[in-house]
Amino acid sequence: MIGRTHKTGIAMAIALIAAMPGVASACEIFHGIRVKMESGSYRATLNDVALKDGGVKLSSTNGSVSQSSYEYRLTEWLVPGKNIVKINYDGTAAEFTIFARCKGSYDDDHIVDTVTFTSPSSQQLSFEHHGPLEDIYLKADIAGDEGLLDAVKTLQDAARAGDVETILRLHDPMIKEFGRRMGSTERITSYLRSILTSHPAVVEKTLTVTPVMGGRVYQIFGPDGRPPISVSGKTDDGSFSWPGGVYWARFGDEWAVVAN
């Protein structure tokens, strides 16, 4: 058995408030997902892209378990207008809620959409994003996947050969996006040069290509969610693992990595 509720009036009010001159700057709206789980585990996607927070698996030897409740923001893989969150849940009691909140605030939520589960199943939630989006992947072309696997092969060949410059070039949109968010690309470029020159890359031979974001982006994974290339090792500060070549987009005639 499953359940679903909407609070469309509040959602519309938020959209109107966000669109009003002067008010938007005072209250910049962001959306998030709140999870309440008494059992089981889940997988979630936003616009078909797997969310990094895959949920917490809860279990106990005597069958009793305290409810897990937490929340996180939805800040990446947004599109203008309607956004879809899909939940694949495996358990017997859970609730997932999309909320809207002013940035900088920790309360006074507006509930946009809610689904409840009492058995394993799949459901989806939705919300409208009305604020500006500057993410580089939104500038990509929707033109099919011709040439994509050739670009992936170029990346993997470069990883095998230790060709750091080609690896960085193919990750250029991702690096630029990091710079836009963090104010500089120097830190990430220096980090990637360091690990790629001092540690061998692992290359996956079997890959699965899946269009996401309405065909604007393609995600590529090997078995068990492994990336096309990866580098791992130890440093003075501990261990690290870096995935490469996961999310690709087409800009004119060129394919490049927009995120990992």
Side-chain angles (χ1 to χ4, degrees), residues 39-243:
S39 67
S41 61
Y42 76 95
R43 291 178 59 83
T45 62
L46 172 58
N47 298 320
D48 295 324
V49 180
L51 292 175
K52 292 181 181 179
D53 188 316
V56 179
K57 186 173 179 62
L58 302 175
S59 62
S60 69
T61 55
N62 61 10
S64 64
V65 64
S66 60
Q67 186 181 72
S68 172
S69 179
Y70 59 97
E71 64 183 42
Y72 51 92
R73 293 187 181 189
L74 300 173
T75 58
E76 295 181 291
W77 306 114
L78 296 168
V79 297
K82 189 174 184 178
N83 289 258
I84 302 293
V85 175
K86 296 178 182 177
I87 307 289
N88 293 318
Y89 173 69
D90 184 10
T92 58
E95 178 182 271
F96 298 84
T97 298
I98 299 292
F99 64 86
R101 184 185 298 162
C102 291
K103 285 187 177 179
S105 174
Y106 293 94
D107 52 18
D108 195 25
D109 297 348
H110 296 280
I111 303 306
V112 179
D113 200 0
T114 299
V115 293
T116 58
F117 295 84
T118 56
S119 62
S121 61
S122 299
Q123 294 194 71
Q124 70 179 38
L125 307 103
S126 66
F127 63 94
E128 295 279 337
H129 182 85
H130 296 281
L133 291 172
E134 301 178 41
D135 303 80
I136 286 177
Y137 61 77
L138 291 173
K139 299 178 175 65
D141 300 322
I142 303 177
D145 62 358
E146 183 179 357
L148 172 57
L149 290 179
D150 291 335
V152 176
K153 183 178 184 302
T154 298
L155 174 66
Q156 292 187 316
D157 288 346
R160 291 187 183 97
D163 183 354
V164 175
E165 296 308 313
T166 295
I167 296 173
L168 293 179
R169 175 177 61 80
L170 289 170
H171 281 79
D172 186 61
M174 186 198 78
I175 294 171
K176 286 180 178 176
E177 181 65 20
F178 180 91
R180 182 182 71 81
R181 290 173 179 262
M182 305 303 294
S184 171
T185 61
E186 183 177 347
R187 182 172 138 197
I188 187 173
T189 301
S190 175
Y191 171 73
L192 292 178
R193 286 187 191 280
S194 174
I195 65 172
L196 290 168
T197 55
S198 57
H199 298 81
V202 175
V203 176
E204 289 298 325
K205 295 181 180 179
T206 304
L207 299 173
T208 299
V209 179
T210 306
V212 296
M213 305 291 293
R216 191 178 297 278
V217 176
Y218 288 80
Q219 67 179 20
I220 303 181
F221 286 111
D224 299 321
R226 293 191 292 269
I229 67 171
S230 60
V231 182
S232 60
K234 294 184 177 180
T235 67
D236 294 339
D237 299 324
S239 60
F240 73 91
S241 179
W242 179 76

